Amino acid sequence: QVQLAESGGGSVQAGGSLDLSCAASGYSFSGKCVGWFRQVSGQEREWVAALIVGDGRIYIDDTRTFYNDSVKGRFTISRDTVKNTVNLRMNDLTPGDTAMYYCSSTRASAAAGAFCSQKTWGYTYWGQGTQVTVSS
């Protein structure tokens, strides 16, 4: 059974930083799109960032990352090969970043040159979420 688990959420003041981590069990991230989404209660889930995890194929090497314009330059998605996690480093946080953050991943491997989906329906597996609260 595939399970994704997020960790690292918490409360921080505006301008601060947080690191989120997504770990998988019963599943390998290799070659897959791994995305982070966030959701404020009563609103739609919003895509934040995504990464195609390297799997040894040419052009599939962890460098294809994608960001929502609202977080570009502040958030960084990356893979930790030692811990086998996909992480989201969030800098310069604002109250507008307050949300439940979800990790997600695809069932199929990404094709060379592919883009990761920015839609929830583009992902098969989801974690339970971790809360991020930014105070002003």
Side-chain angles (χ1 to χ4, degrees):
Q1 182 179 0
V2 176
Q3 289 187 323
L4 302 184
E6 304 93 339
S7 61
S11 298
V12 66
Q13 289 191 323
S17 299
L18 280 174
D19 291 304
L20 305 184
S21 183
C22 177
S25 59
Y27 172 83
S28 171
F29 284 137
S30 293
K32 314 297 197 301
C33 276
V34 179
W36 283 94
F37 286 74
R38 63 188 180 186
Q39 188 171 24
V40 175
S41 180
Q43 298 183 17
E44 290 188 357
R45 196 164 293 190
E46 175 189 43
W47 174 75
V48 174
L51 162 76
I52 300 180
V53 176
D55 65 357
R57 288 181 285 162
I58 296 175
Y59 305 124
I60 306 292
D61 59 359
D62 296 353
T63 61
R64 286 185 63 77
T65 57
F66 311 91
Y67 296 95
N68 186 308
D69 285 345
S70 67
V71 306
K72 198 171 294 185
R74 300 188 298 123
F75 291 12
T76 302
I77 188 170
S78 64
R79 177 198 191 189
D80 186 323
T81 56
V82 174
K83 297 180 180 179
N84 195 29
T85 59
V86 174
N87 305 320
L88 186 68
R89 171 70 173 180
M90 305 186 295
N91 292 327
D92 195 21
L93 286 161
T94 72
D97 296 314
T98 295
M100 184 74 78
Y101 282 71
Y102 296 91
C103 171
S104 59
S105 62
T106 57
R107 184 197 306 267
S109 294
F115 291 84
C116 289
S117 175
Q118 299 178 17
K119 304 297 184 181
T120 56
W121 48 255
Y123 297 84
T124 303
Y125 305 114
W126 292 85
Q128 295 298 307
T130 185
Q131 178 67 37
V132 171
T133 302
V134 185
S135 58
S136 57

